[in-house]
Structure formats: structure tokens, C-alpha cells
Amino acid sequence: MDRINELIKLIEEANYNYYYLDKPTISDQEYDRYMQELIRLEQKYPQYKKEDSPTVRVGGIVLEEFEKTTHNIPMLSISNVFNEEDIRNFDLKIKKENINPEYVCELKIDGLAISLTYKNGLLVRGATRGDGLIGEDVTNNIKTINSIPLKLNQNIDIEVRGEVYMSKKVFTELNKNRKDKFMNTRNAAAGSIRQLDSKICKSRKLDCFIYHLPNPLDYDINTHHEALEFMKSLGFIVNDNNKYLKNIDEVIEFINNYTKKRKELPYEIDGIVIKLNKINDQQKLGNTSRYPKWLTAYKFPAEEITTRLKDIVFTVGRTGKVVPNAVLEPVLIQGSIVSRATLHNEKFILDKDIRINDIVSVVKAGDVIPAVVEVKKDRRRNNNKFKMITYCPICNSKLVKKEEASHYCINESCDARKIETLIHFCERNAMNIEGLGESILEEFYNMGYIKTIDDIYYLSKYKDELSNLFGYGEKSINKLLESIENSKSNSLERLLYGLGIRQVGLKTAKTLAKKYKNIDNLINSNEEELSNISDIGPIIINNILSYFNNKDNIRLINNLKRNNLNMEYISKNEKKNVNITGKTFVITGSLSISREQIKDIIEENGGKVTDSVTNKTDILILGKDAGSKYEKAKKLNKEIWNEDVFKSKI
Ligand code: IVH
């Protein structure tokens, strides 16, 4: 009996630390050992088994079908808004009712809604939304979810609502081992909670956030924000990314902020829920037959859209790489019309068996370059498989297949390659020459004004001619020439990146500029010296050496020097901070500041950020839901800072 109580205490404490405080105190193995011992003891002495024992979470009951259960308070849907104008209208409507609104915004978790009922502090029922009035009793499955408390910190009667979801990590693992893959985390969560065998549900490692208290006044609670705190204090997991906001401008700022952070979260969200904070105000507004009027959901624009692939065309990049692109029936994705999408290479097209005239689904990968993700083969009418071209579409020279799947035009003087080189040089992250965008560069190239990079700096000679030909007004031609002139004083890393040395991205260019200080030092460097720089591997070293071994490139650099381009690294006053300067950091888990921001702060203060925890790591910055990096850092006895510690150190 004593040991049973002791084990329950140990397990509950471990659950609390793991799920509630995000600070696991015992290993998974230790946790399992306690659990196994408790199961054994409860089997031996069933008279001592408690009805809220943590072992009740272990599944095992197989049902024929779920029982139906009626919701005392209907589980309504919520209305949606899709843009800023809609959000402001929502606010105006509330103000029209003589309410001075204050809001709470929360993440809209992409899972399925559930209702949990507790009697005397014990979980007695878990139900799905169903049609809003009648749902399915999924109590046994709900009990397998570790983040749902079986017993509350107070012996009260209460109903709460929330979202059962599957984390991105669990979803990826689950799909890896499945032939019949789940489409998304929402389907996976819904499919799991509706398993009649609760063992299967348990194996799916679902999670749950609680976000709604249907009867707040019963507990003397007058605002939604208080309701969240109250539910948290009872032992529920409430998503911490919620915020009290004074007005609709702050709501919009919150939305913009999380639209950016969305990808970094360890679970999927499909929007932001905007809720009126004061319960009085909520009640004043009431419901329509379908949804409450006091809240709404801003839905992120759809990311995946189906359309027809009209044609496949080819572009030649500055390295000569030939990339197939889909020409699409234009569609609106994330607020912009998309009519092209990358098809990457021959292998990508053949693996997916993409054909002209197919109906395809398109996403905006990384929010920028749209990509074809799926072909609707059941709607196919074309019997001809895709065939890769064998000659350069621009200069007609024979293509060479390198690596596994990429085709290259190896003609150095192929026009497409030259134009792409110019575009890259002028690009925002490179020399940042405003006014020399893709199409104008193509025109200048075709008309012979700019054939090579150094020609850009002779453009002023043709000022009058250009004004006549392209109809430039005095102001705009001056602006263009000024922008070219300004680019001459860029710091070295922009030039290095702009020159387009293969695989020398922005980061490598920065590292090189910082180390060598001017271009001559870099030109005179050698393999040994370069290989001492961490982060630069042998392939990049080889590319750097062969770039500066090429006489044409040296001629170009000399020409640029003659045009007074700066070739020195201009340091941006690196700050010093004893906690950070010279130290190596790894960032893991989800944090409220973006990783890029944290990285920038560390680098500004003279620290370094790497991807994996090794002996060289000094400090791990720990966010929520961290995994193996956290384990490794602990093992290697590394210093660990959570977000608050990080903030205090800077
Ligand atoms: S509030 C009356 N808050 O989104 C309260 N719903 O598309 C109604 N959802 O049915 C729910 N995250 O399943 C609320 N933070 C959140 C939510 C949320 C996800 C779901 C919920 C709802 C659906 C509507």
C-alpha cells in the first residue's frame, strides 16, 4: 500500500515535471520501471488500486463502437476571418454593441476539439465534438494521453474544452513506418482518437492543449485570461503562446508575429483565435445558431492548392544548371497569384510521374518558391511520360548530366548563364543595386549595355542613350546610377557573395570577409589556410581556389578595383559581452524569439552558433519540446540556458 502510494507520487511528479514544467527529472526508462512496478502491485492487490491511478492511462479496451454522448452546452463552430480588413470589421461590429473590446489571442491548434468532464476532480468523460450537440465518448482513448490529467489539483466538478493534436515530430515518425500515410497531423490525431483499441491510440503519442472553460462564472472567473490561468492551475496544459491584447492593432501585430513563427513551432497551427477577454462582454454578444459572436479565427491562407500544369519549361541558372519549371493555370496561394512552380530536376518529375496537363497540388515551399507536391493521377488524360531535354534551350549546346539528377549547360558563354550571373550580382543580399532587377538586366544584356559584371560600372557613360531608349526620366536614371555608385562602398562580403563563386553563400562570404579582411588576402590564400576555417569544407575550398585561379575572374576583379569598388571588410562594431563573446552555442526547441534573431544577437556579440551539440559546444539555449540535443548537452555536462537566462545574459 505504501509502495503503491509512493509510486503514484513519483509518476505524477514525473508527469508534472515533464508535461507541465517542461523539465523532465527522470529518464524514460526509470519512468517505465515505476509504471511496470505499479501495474504489478495493483494486479496483486486490486483492493488498493485507485480509480485515478496513472496506470488507468494504459490502454487495452477494444470497443465495438463508441457510445454517443450529449454535450450539455453545444460545441459550436467558430467563424473565420481571412485578412486584416475582416479582422477590423470583427472589431467594429463589437464596438457597435457599445463594447470597448479587449482581447486574448491564442494559437489555433490544428487537431480535433474535445470536451473533458471531471467529477470531484476526477476525469469521468472525454468526448469528441461530433455534430456539436452529440459527440462520441472516447474516454478510454483520452485517458491514454499523458498531457491530460486524470485527477485535478482541486476536487471540483468542471468541464473544459481543448484540442487533441499530434506533434510534428511524432507525426513524421509515425508516417515513416506507414505505407498508408496520414495526410497531415490533424488527420493523424483524429484517426488515432477514433481507434476502438485504446492501445493503438496510446501508441500514437497524442497531446492536448486546453483553451476553453464553458462555465467561467461558476468559478468566479470574469475574463478569459483568468480562465486560462485557472485551468493551468488545475493541472491542464494551456498553450503558453497566448496574450492579452488591448486593442485590434495589437491583435494584428500578434497575428503577424505568429505567422512568421509558425514554422518553428513543434505542432501545426492553422490560424490564430481572437477572443473577447471579458466574460460579461462575451455574454452581451451571445451566439448565432452556428457560432459564438465573441470570438473568431483568423485562418492562415491555404498553403496547398490544386491547379492544372499547362507546360514544362526550362531555365538555365548561372552555374549552367538546367531547371524544369511548371507553367500553371494561375492560382492564388498565400495571397499571391502563382503561375510557375519549380520541378527541381528530371528525377523529381519522373519519381512523381508529372506530365503536362496533369492536375497537381502546389504549395509555396518556404513561403517563397512554389513547388508541385502531388499529382492527381486519377484525373489524368495524358499518356506521354515526361522526357528530359538534351540540349540547352538557350544556346543549344549539349547538356551534361552531373550528380544524380541535374543537367548542366557547360557552355561558359551561354547567354542564360551570363544574365543569371548579373542578376545574382545585383540581388538584394549581394550588391543590392536597386533598379537592376531581372527584366531590366535582361534587356540591358540583350542590347549590349551590360554583358559582364564590370559593365555595370560603365553604365553612366550611356546615360543619355538609356534615357532615350527606355524612356527613363531624369530622376529615375539618376536614381539607378546613384544606386550603382553606392554599391561601390559595400563591405567585402557582399562582393564575395555577388561574384557567384559556387556554393559560397552569404554565410561563407561573411566568414571569409571577416577572416581575410580584404580580397587580396583571400586571393593569395591557399588550401591549408582555408581548411583551418571551421564551417568551410573541401568542396567549397576547391571552388574558391579555382575561382581565383581563373584569369578571367582576376581580370574582372582588377577592373572592379579600377572602378573604385571597395574590396575591404567593413566591420559593424562588434559588441563585446563576456557571457557570449568567443563562445559556441546550439539552439534547440521552440522559443518565443525566432532562432534567426537569437543567432543574430549571439553573432553581434561575438559568439558563434552551430547546429549540433559536440565537445566544442559551450552553451545550449533550450526552448520547449526539445529532444536529442538537450539529452546530449546534459550528457556532456554543458551549460544550459532557457530563454529567460539568455535574455538576462544579453
Ligand atoms: S475556441 C467557444 N481556441 O478550431 C470556444 N478553438 O475551426 C470554441 N481550435 O472547433 C473554441 N485552437 O477545434 C478555440 N485556441 C483555440 C483553438 C480552437 C484550435 C479549434 C477548435 C474549433 C476549431 C474551429
Side-chain angles (χ1 to χ4, degrees):
M1 171 76 174
D2 283 352
R3 181 62 183 162
I4 287 181
N5 285 338
E6 190 179 22
L7 286 167
I8 290 177
K9 229 171 128 197
L10 283 167
I11 292 167
E12 279 184 342
E13 203 170 86
N15 279 341
Y16 182 80
N17 291 331
Y18 186 90
Y19 289 101
Y20 194 66
L21 299 181
D22 258 337
K23 288 197 182 84
T25 42
I26 59 171
S27 70
D28 287 356
Q29 290 78 3
E30 214 171 338
Y31 182 93
D32 289 342
R33 267 205 309 276
Y34 290 154
M35 195 63 119
Q36 289 311 318
E37 190 184 340
L38 183 58
I39 293 170
R40 267 200 320 273
L41 286 174
E42 283 177 348
Q43 273 165 357
K44 207 163 159 191
Y45 308 104
Q47 68 273 31
Y48 296 133
K49 181 169 172 171
K50 301 202 163 161
E51 52 185 323
D52 65 329
S53 163
T55 56
V56 178
R57 291 187 194 282
V58 182
I61 301 166
V62 183
L63 301 176
E64 289 304 311
E65 64 170 31
F66 294 110
E67 284 199 20
K68 303 282 176 280
T69 167
T70 309
H71 299 298
N72 292 336
I73 303 172
M75 288 179 82
L76 300 177
S77 324
I78 53 185
S79 63
N80 293 319
V81 289
F82 296 98
N83 53 44
E84 190 174 328
E85 198 190 343
D86 291 348
I87 299 169
R88 290 193 184 280
N89 281 338
F90 171 69
D91 182 60
L92 287 178
K93 258 194 205 158
I94 294 171
K95 284 178 177 153
K96 263 195 195 147
E97 301 294 324
N98 279 333
I99 290 170
N100 184 15
E102 51 184 60
Y103 297 104
V104 171
C105 273
E106 288 165 21
L107 306 187
K108 185 165 172 341
I109 313 295
D110 203 6
L112 79 148
I114 45 116
S115 147
L116 304 175
T117 307
Y118 290 77
K119 286 257 176 309
N120 206 13
L122 292 177
L123 175 67
V124 292
R125 192 188 74 158
T128 62
R129 178 174 176 272
D131 64 5
L133 294 173
I134 296 170
E136 285 176 307
D137 186 331
V138 288
T139 312
N140 286 314
N141 285 347
I142 289 292
K143 282 183 175 171
T144 71
I145 301 175
N146 280 324
S147 41
I148 295 180
L150 298 170
K151 185 177 189 312
L152 302 178
N153 298 330
Q154 286 181 37
N155 297 338
I156 49 170
D157 293 354
I158 194 167
E159 185 199 345
V160 296
R161 292 178 183 174
E163 198 85 352
V164 166
Y165 69 96
M166 186 180 278
S167 75
K168 290 178 185 169
K169 198 168 150 208
V170 171
F171 175 74
T172 315
E173 276 306 312
L174 174 66
N175 256 355
K176 227 190 247 169
N177 306 322
R178 283 175 67 90
K179 238 173 95 199
D180 192 5
K181 302 208 184 301
F182 284 112
M183 291 281 281
N184 51 42
T185 50
R186 181 170 17 92
N187 289 344
S192 305
I193 209 76
R194 300 198 68 258
Q195 287 292 328
L196 292 167
D197 179 353
S198 50
K199 263 196 201 126
I200 300 179
C201 180
K202 182 181 165 67
S203 76
R204 298 280 170 81
K205 300 196 182 103
L206 296 173
D207 259 302
C208 180
F209 285 123
I210 297 300
Y211 48 64
H212 184 59
L213 179 63
N215 285 319
L217 299 178
D218 290 357
Y219 310 91
D220 243 347
I221 283 176
N222 296 306
T223 67
H224 178 62
H225 207 243
E226 276 171 55
L228 292 178
E229 288 304 315
F230 173 57
M231 293 190 290
K232 211 165 144 178
S233 75
L234 291 177
F236 292 110
I237 308 291
V238 172
N239 189 301
D240 271 336
N241 299 301
N242 67 68
K243 203 166 176 195
Y244 163 79
L245 302 161
K246 286 195 295 292
N247 54 47
I248 206 70
D249 289 326
E250 290 190 350
V251 167
I252 288 162
E253 199 189 329
F254 181 94
I255 290 175
N256 290 337
N257 191 8
Y258 278 94
T259 306
K260 284 186 220 130
K261 281 190 194 158
R262 178 184 181 191
K263 294 255 147 54
E264 292 163 26
L265 296 167
Y267 39 80
E268 294 286 356
I269 59 170
D270 60 337
I272 302 292
V273 185
I274 310 166
K275 302 180 176 177
L276 257 188
N277 188 36
K278 289 192 192 131
I279 308 295
N280 260 344
D281 293 347
Q282 292 181 4
Q283 298 196 334
K284 200 164 162 190
L285 280 170
N287 306 330
T288 71
S289 61
R290 285 188 306 126
Y291 51 79
K293 291 192 206 162
W294 53 268
L295 89 170
T296 192
Y298 166 77
K299 290 278 276 275
F300 293 128
E303 289 190 300
E304 197 172 322
I305 295 263
T306 12
T307 186
R308 192 171 67 89
L309 184 150
K310 296 198 295 189
D311 199 2
I312 296 177
V313 296
F314 300 86
T315 48
V316 185
R318 67 192 158 85
T319 58
K321 191 169 177 173
V322 178
V323 178
N325 298 285
V327 180
L328 305 166
E329 203 82 73
V331 274
L332 193 68
I333 309 182
Q334 293 197 340
S336 57
I337 303 271
V338 174
S339 54
R340 288 281 177 112
T342 181
L343 295 170
H344 306 288
N345 53 42
E346 180 190 24
K347 186 170 181 297
F348 179 85
I349 302 179
L350 293 178
D351 283 355
K352 288 205 173 342
D353 189 13
I354 298 170
R355 304 181 190 184
I356 291 173
N357 267 328
D358 274 348
I359 302 295
V360 292
S361 62
V362 180
V363 291
K364 267 182 119 184
D367 286 335
V368 205
I369 316 158
V372 168
V373 284
E374 204 198 332
V375 178
K376 309 283 173 198
K377 293 202 175 125
D378 49 333
R379 293 163 73 182
R380 161 166 293 161
R381 273 171 287 156
N382 182 353
N383 293 326
N384 302 321
K385 264 196 153 193
F386 166 78
K387 255 185 110 176
M388 184 64 188
I389 52 167
T390 46
Y391 289 90
C392 173
I394 310 296
C395 70
N396 216 25
S397 53
K398 189 143 178 56
L399 299 181
V400 173
K401 191 167 176 175
K402 290 190 205 167
E403 295 135 27
E404 200 195 347
S406 302
H407 288 74
Y408 285 84
C409 166
I410 54 164
N411 173 12
E412 294 275 348
S413 41
C414 171
D415 288 334
R417 295 184 58 175
K418 291 185 149 189
I419 294 172
E420 288 300 325
T421 304
L422 295 170
I423 293 172
H424 175 75
F425 184 83
C426 298
E427 186 229 289
R428 199 161 51 94
N429 285 322
M431 295 300 270
N432 191 21
I433 306 182
E434 232 176 282
L436 284 185
E438 275 185 47
S439 51
I440 199 76
L441 273 171
E442 203 171 328
E443 284 204 62
F444 284 177
Y445 180 90
N446 289 335
M447 298 191 70
Y449 290 104
I450 300 178
K451 285 285 185 192
T452 55
I453 287 175
D454 42 344
D455 285 343
I456 294 171
Y457 296 94
Y458 294 113
L459 203 63
S460 55
K461 284 205 278 187
Y462 308 104
K463 185 175 167 182
D464 295 340
E465 235 175 287
L466 292 176
S467 298
N468 290 337
L469 268 171
F470 293 94
Y472 275 119
E474 180 72 12
K475 231 178 166 180
S476 50
I477 189 95
N478 282 344
K479 209 171 148 202
L480 171 63
L481 294 175
E482 196 183 302
S483 175
I484 294 175
E485 195 58 31
N486 287 343
S487 74
K488 290 181 178 174
S489 43
N490 281 337
S491 177
L492 176 63
E493 65 275 14
R494 285 187 173 270
L495 176 67
L496 284 180
Y497 175 60
L499 289 174
I501 306 167
R502 286 196 72 174
Q503 289 179 358
V504 173
L506 211 51
K507 191 172 160 225
T508 309
K510 254 188 206 161
T511 310
L512 292 170
K514 263 190 199 169
K515 163 130 179 94
Y516 286 97
K517 307 288 186 237
N518 68 46
I519 204 158
D520 290 323
N521 289 341
L522 177 60
I523 294 172
N524 295 327
S525 171
N526 55 35
E527 190 178 343
E528 198 191 327
E529 215 176 80
L530 284 162
S531 56
N532 280 332
I533 309 177
S534 55
D535 301 342
I536 300 189
I539 298 174
I540 300 187
I541 294 177
N542 200 21
N543 292 340
I544 297 170
L545 292 173
S546 62
Y547 183 89
F548 292 117
N549 266 332
N550 181 326
K551 282 201 194 80
D552 289 338
N553 294 334
I554 297 295
R555 202 174 303 132
L556 166 69
I557 290 166
N558 287 336
N559 243 342
L560 294 175
K561 278 185 187 166
R562 239 170 268 136
N563 276 290
N564 295 322
L565 259 80
N566 170 57
M567 305 267 162
E568 309 265 331
Y569 170 62
I570 304 167
S571 136
K572 280 191 233 147
N573 279 344
E574 222 167 61
K575 294 181 219 156
K576 285 243 176 318
N577 176 329
V578 279
N579 299 316
I580 293 180
T581 312
K583 301 215 167 128
T584 303
F585 291 77
V586 173
I587 309 169
T588 188
S590 77
L591 297 134
S592 72
I593 332 174
S594 83
R595 279 182 189 210
E596 274 315 304
Q597 265 173 305
I598 296 181
K599 197 167 164 216
D600 281 348
I601 296 171
I602 291 175
E603 285 177 354
E604 268 170 28
N605 284 288
K608 199 170 109 181
V609 176
T610 60
D611 287 335
S612 48
V613 178
T614 67
N615 275 328
K616 287 189 192 154
T617 309
D618 293 302
I619 293 147
L620 180 82
I621 309 239
L622 180 67
K624 283 187 187 151
D625 300 317
S628 61
K629 288 183 192 172
Y630 175 47
E631 292 302 323
K632 184 127 187 239
K634 273 199 296 191
K635 219 188 212 165
L636 295 176
N637 252 333
K638 297 292 175 190
E639 203 172 325
I640 297 174
W641 296 355
N642 65 20
E643 202 171 315
D644 290 340
V645 177
F646 174 69
K647 283 180 185 157
S648 71
K649 300 276 184 188
I650 56 168

